[in-house]
Amino acid sequence: MTSENQPKAGHRGTPTSTEFREFMASGWADDDRSPTPRAEVADHAARRRAAVSRRFPGERLVIPGGGLKVRSNDTDYTFRPHTAFAHLSGLGAHAEPDSVLVLHPRPEGGHHAVLYFRPPAPRDTEEFYTDSRYGEFWVGSRPAVADVESQLGLTARHIDSLADDLAKDDAAARLRVVRSADPQLAELVGTTRAQAGTALSGEEQEEADEELARHLSGMRIVKDEWEIGEMRKAIAATHEGFEAIIATLPEAVRKERGERWVEGMFGLYARHRGNGVGYESICASGDHANTIHWTRNTGEVRDGDLILIDAGIEVDSLFTADITRTLPVNGRFTDVQRKIYDAVHEAQQAGMAAVRPGNRFSDVHAAANEVIARRLHEWGLLPDGVTLEQTLDPEHGGWHRRWMVHGTSHHLGMDVHDCQLLLREDYMDGELRPGMVLTVEPGLYFKADDLLAPEEFRGIGVRIEDDVLVTEDGCENLSAAMPRGSHEVEEWMARVSGTTGERSPR
């Protein structure tokens, strides 16, 4: 068992008499479920596994799904499988905790994929009605071995056979494991290696495992058509969530801790339209927008302020959107708000123009960064005597970064910050290729206590973020249906809220 242990309360229990156990084991209808149909993703996952097999011939590869994490006492966080496991197995939101995918090398070449998991216990066992983590009486119907095999087109086995299967034949000495997915299982792999007499030192074993994890992370950097379709679903659902927020902004103004109201409204759509949020939603009103990762969402939403919402819905395949819109709470930008917003929008357009095959990933940031620096220089915010060229100097400049400390882009997919294990030369310096999906998200942040910012700027934070697909001849903004220009945003808000777009009274 790889899930974290729960403390068990001694004051609770179920009846243990023979009569009760016999009664609980009787009177259940036969399980006449038809076989689970083959999932659409099964063929795509099989192709991914074949690519991994070609990269690591003759080696036994262990990709854990991970286990349950204790939230408090005997309650767990909602389970979400490790991304590498989900990508290679095809199991997303409905994956079982403690599952493990193993690619066993075949003597004739290639690999045999086996998914190990805990199938439901028979109803004449106590697990059925006493185990609050795995018993079907507590957690509902769970897949049988036959269900997994028909759904995914691979072999499935009980998790209890995993240890013996890892140790069999001479491949036991040539094991690799995704360590971060399940540290406890990584220890089992280490013991198995040692017993099999691996020739690798401890440091070499860690390097081998890191190489596997990095390769699996990098496999996701170019999406196929099915994956792009899942991204479109996630973005469409996120669009709906944002429009629900716009419609309820007046209520958020009336409520205490209105940021929580906004977060909850988006969370409703995330759970209904998908698996949930792809990351903790940022619902930052007023000066909170100047805290880059403001996820407390405890503030008031005030008429006349801006609210920065950075949120994305993760669909059941675990692909997620990542979109930011900065909205005027009352539907209309003030002149100062519009000035800052339009500068960020201009920077985002420059960043998007740099998204095309042959450019480097870092070119996107460079293009947006140049606009931000130029606007701040024109507004007189840089120190006296500092030129635009000087602040853009990567080694000795950077004054303008005070007001945009983060990067402009990251890869996006099954993780909101996808492919993060890649080396710098493959990520920041990597060449953009068709099928990549990345964000473009410049911002400007003027904290309320920033004495170097003009007084009228203080407390205003703006970020605009879209999800962009690299195409053969440029890019496609997958979230283009969500307006970005300041006037278009006002029109959008008026349309969704059913108002005329006139400024609300202060």
Side-chain angles (χ1 to χ4, degrees):
M1 182 182 296
T2 58
S3 292
E4 291 180 352
N5 291 325
Q6 292 179 343
K8 296 299 181 183
H11 61 275
R12 290 186 296 180
T14 53
T16 58
S17 68
T18 301
E19 292 79 5
F20 176 78
R21 292 197 301 269
E22 290 176 350
F23 185 64
M24 285 298 293
S26 65
W28 302 106
D30 292 335
D31 185 355
D32 57 355
R33 289 180 299 178
S34 57
T36 303
R38 186 176 177 88
E40 181 184 9
V41 71
D43 292 339
H44 301 284
R47 286 196 294 271
R48 298 166 195 160
R49 294 193 297 269
V52 176
S53 177
R54 291 190 294 271
R55 175 61 180 78
F56 298 97
E59 301 184 61
R60 180 164 287 141
L61 309 176
V62 183
I63 303 97
L68 294 165
K69 308 296 183 185
V70 175
R71 184 184 188 277
S72 176
N73 287 331
D74 57 351
T75 62
D76 297 316
Y77 287 102
T78 300
F79 177 68
R80 197 269 195 193
H82 190 275
T83 299
F85 171 88
H87 191 238
L88 293 180
S89 68
L91 287 172
H94 304 298
E96 291 293 313
D98 303 322
S99 298
V100 183
L101 176 67
V102 180
L103 302 186
H104 294 283
R106 289 190 172 103
E108 67 274 16
H111 285 77
H112 177 211
V114 180
L115 195 144
Y116 298 83
F117 76 110
R118 183 182 301 279
R123 294 194 171 186
D124 60 358
T125 66
E126 290 190 17
E127 178 183 302
F128 166 60
Y129 61 89
T130 65
D131 193 321
S132 61
R133 266 189 163 178
Y134 301 102
E136 286 192 286
F137 212 97
W138 292 81
V139 300
S141 178
R142 295 172 51 233
V145 167
D147 296 324
V148 171
E149 291 186 334
S150 62
Q151 177 187 7
L152 302 179
L154 44 63
T155 300
R157 292 178 187 161
H158 197 291
I159 190 66
D160 289 350
S161 65
L162 174 64
D164 288 341
D165 284 1
L166 292 182
K168 70 181 181 182
D169 62 48
D170 60 357
R174 302 189 305 279
L175 276 165
R176 294 186 194 241
V177 61
V178 179
R179 291 175 177 245
S180 62
D182 194 327
Q184 188 172 336
L185 187 56
E187 290 183 11
L188 171 63
V189 168
T191 300
T192 304
R193 282 166 164 161
Q195 293 174 344
T198 180
L200 299 178
S201 66
E203 183 178 348
E204 289 171 331
Q205 291 176 36
E206 289 189 18
E207 290 176 353
D209 292 342
E210 288 174 4
E211 183 183 17
L212 172 63
R214 187 163 52 247
H215 179 78
L216 298 184
S217 180
M219 283 182 66
R220 303 193 300 272
I221 201 165
V222 174
K223 276 70 175 173
D224 60 29
E225 286 302 316
W226 185 85
E227 293 171 308
I228 293 169
E230 293 301 297
M231 291 296 307
R232 294 185 191 278
K233 291 178 186 177
I235 291 165
T238 299
H239 186 173
E240 289 188 26
F242 269 80
E243 294 201 337
I245 289 172
I246 292 171
T248 196
L249 275 177
E251 188 69 16
V253 172
R254 289 190 287 269
K255 299 286 186 182
E256 293 183 1
R257 299 204 298 179
E259 290 176 347
R260 289 282 175 95
W261 183 267
V262 170
E263 177 188 356
M265 180 58 62
F266 188 81
L268 169 65
Y269 276 74
R271 285 295 284 168
H272 183 253
R273 287 295 311 274
N275 184 45
V277 294
Y279 53 96
E280 291 298 308
S281 300
I282 298 168
C283 304
S285 185
D287 190 45
H288 287 163
N290 295 309
T291 300
I292 308 301
H293 285 167
W294 176 260
T295 56
R296 298 177 192 174
N297 300 336
T298 53
E300 305 298 317
V301 176
R302 296 184 176 90
D303 186 4
D305 281 349
L306 299 179
I307 182 168
L308 186 158
I309 303 159
D310 185 336
I313 292 179
E314 176 186 84
V315 292
D316 286 348
S317 61
L318 304 187
F319 285 85
T320 185
D322 179 9
I323 294 168
T324 305
R325 289 293 182 268
T326 305
L327 308 172
V329 171
N330 62 23
R332 300 285 290 180
F333 291 97
T334 67
D335 291 343
V336 174
Q337 291 169 350
R338 193 185 305 276
K339 178 178 181 178
I340 296 170
Y341 186 97
D342 287 350
V344 174
H345 184 218
E346 180 187 359
Q348 194 203 29
Q349 290 178 302
M352 285 188 176
V355 180
R356 58 179 182 270
N359 274 5
R360 293 181 303 168
F361 177 86
S362 57
D363 291 337
V364 180
H365 175 71
N369 191 47
E370 191 277 335
V371 174
I372 294 293
R374 177 158 36 85
R375 288 297 176 217
L376 291 170
H377 181 261
E378 291 171 354
W379 295 342
L381 270 67
L382 303 185
D384 289 343
V386 172
T387 66
L388 178 61
E389 292 72 21
Q390 286 173 324
T391 195
L392 288 171
D393 186 322
E395 293 186 12
H396 304 291
W399 289 274
H400 64 285
R401 296 297 300 278
R402 175 187 178 98
W403 294 285
M404 195 185 95
V405 297
H406 61 76
T408 305
S409 188
H410 59 79
H411 285 279
L412 179 67
M414 298 183 81
D415 287 335
V416 66
H417 293 151
D418 214 9
C419 312
Q420 285 290 86
L421 298 184
L422 287 175
L423 299 175
R424 180 179 179 85
E425 57 264 29
D426 298 319
Y427 197 108
M428 296 302 297
D429 299 329
E431 183 177 305
L432 297 180
R433 290 175 282 159
M436 290 181 171
V437 177
L438 51 139
T439 65
V440 183
E441 50 174 315
L444 278 171
Y445 310 92
F446 300 99
K447 289 183 176 290
D449 59 353
D450 185 353
L451 300 182
L452 298 185
E455 186 173 356
E456 66 270 22
F457 283 14
R458 296 173 195 169
I460 297 176
V462 174
R463 182 165 65 252
I464 310 170
E465 177 181 19
D466 284 270
D467 303 339
V468 180
L469 169 68
V470 183
T471 61
E472 293 292 339
D473 56 358
C475 70
E476 177 190 352
N477 180 4
L478 298 177
S479 46
M482 300 174 64
R484 293 179 295 136
S486 59
H487 294 290
E488 288 75 17
V489 165
E490 290 173 333
E491 293 169 1
W492 181 36
M493 295 183 70
R495 183 174 67 255
V496 171
S497 61
T499 67
T500 61
E502 295 296 325
R503 179 179 298 280
S504 301
R506 291 263 180 131

